[in-house]
Amino acid sequence: GAGVSQSPSNKVTEKGKDVELRCDPISGHTALYWYRQRLGQGLEFLIYFQGNSAPDKSGLPSDRFSAERTGESVSTLTIQRTQQEDSAVYLCASSLEVGSGSGNEQFFGPGTRLTVL
Amino acid sequence: DAKTTQPTSMDCAEGRAANLPCNHSTISGNEYVYWYRQIHSQGPQYIIHGLKNNETNEMASLIITEDRKSSTLILPHATLRDTAVYYCIVRGKYTSYGKLTFGQGTILTVHP
């Protein structure tokens, strides 16, 4: 596709349920990033992938959060036993490669708005 | 990554240039200055980045001082659609593996 896509756009779930959020990066982008943005706050980095590997998972807020990427393409962020504090917009971004410099700017998707009741 | 300081908010009249400052006094030689913006309810949008030289693209210009301790993003002819939160971010070329650290940014309001 032309840009990063995410699904669903909105998700309402009950406390304690598991949710899966999907990200489809720009074709050919090897790097993929997940961020979280709580209402009225800045973006919080969660995890990044280089290819299908996630070298650093330290940004994930708890062990209820996990992510995977397959085929150097689609990524899924899974939140188990959701809590109300998990309510936020979850944003995915991709770039040609990991790191800074020309050509490695990150392109963001529209986000998934998660509401935990 | 170097810390950045931006004004909390700014106003600009439609059609005029918007000049958004950013201080990054602890920036090191291999760190880039990036600018992103976030329009309400949308994901962040890349605007421009630079290392030492001034840069210009179809969206904006980036002016980096000679000592690299500050920079200014210029939107030459602001429109109402440019109303957004603008983030100045410093990223190391060889560190931080590309992670973007967003601060509070500057809320730019463009008015008629």
Side-chain angles (χ1 to χ4, degrees):
Chain A
V4 178
S5 60
Q6 294 186 246
S7 61
S9 55
N10 281 285
K11 177 70 177 180
V12 180
T13 190
E14 294 179 348
K15 178 181 174 181
K17 301 283 190 182
D18 298 351
V19 295
E20 284 189 354
L21 311 179
R22 177 187 169 106
C23 172
D24 285 90
I26 294 173
S27 178
H29 280 195
T30 64
L32 186 147
Y33 308 81
W34 283 98
Y35 296 84
R36 176 171 74 174
Q37 187 171 32
R38 290 192 169 118
L39 185 64
Q41 299 190 19
L43 276 77
E44 174 189 5
F45 171 79
L46 299 178
I47 190 171
Y48 84 101
F49 287 88
Q50 184 170 8
N52 293 331
S53 300
D56 186 349
K57 303 178 182 179
S58 62
L60 295 176
S62 76
D63 58 8
R64 296 185 294 105
F65 287 72
S66 63
E68 65 173 14
R69 189 180 185 195
T70 56
E72 296 196 359
S73 180
V74 64
S75 176
T76 302
L77 178 68
T78 301
I79 308 173
Q80 295 179 310
R81 307 181 301 282
T82 52
Q83 303 294 313
Q84 289 182 334
E85 63 262 28
D86 299 334
S87 295
V89 176
Y90 289 81
L91 290 153
C92 175
S94 71
S95 63
L96 273 175
E97 297 177 0
V98 170
S100 297
S102 294
N104 285 345
E105 51 268 26
Q106 295 182 19
F107 296 89
F108 284 79
T112 293
R113 182 176 299 277
L114 174 66
T115 303
V116 182
L117 302 176
Chain B
D1 293 335
K3 181 179 178 180
T4 62
T5 304
Q6 298 177 253
T8 302
S9 63
M10 294 183 65
D11 286 342
C12 178
E14 188 177 21
R16 304 296 294 268
N19 297 287
L20 292 92
C22 179
N23 286 322
H24 31 78
S25 59
T26 60
I27 194 170
S28 63
N30 64 358
E31 290 182 316
Y32 288 78
V33 179
Y34 276 74
W35 284 83
Y36 282 77
R37 73 180 182 183
Q38 189 172 25
I39 296 171
H40 183 62
S41 298
Q42 297 183 21
Q45 178 188 23
Y46 165 80
I47 302 173
I48 198 168
H49 76 279
L51 183 62
K52 296 180 181 178
N53 299 323
N54 298 337
E55 302 288 344
T56 296
N57 62 20
E58 65 277 5
M59 289 183 67
S61 294
L62 175 61
I63 308 298
I64 303 174
T65 58
E66 190 170 346
D67 62 8
R68 302 187 67 241
K69 293 186 177 181
S70 66
S71 60
T72 301
L73 177 74
I74 301 172
L75 306 178
H77 305 288
T79 70
L80 299 178
R81 289 175 294 180
D82 291 323
T83 293
V85 181
Y86 286 77
Y87 297 98
C88 170
I89 300 167
V90 172
R91 281 171 67 192
K93 184 174 183 179
Y94 303 111
T95 61
S96 77
Y97 43 78
K99 174 180 83 170
L100 291 173
T101 302
F102 288 80
Q104 293 305 306
T106 296
I107 301 171
L108 174 68
T109 303
V110 180
H111 51 85

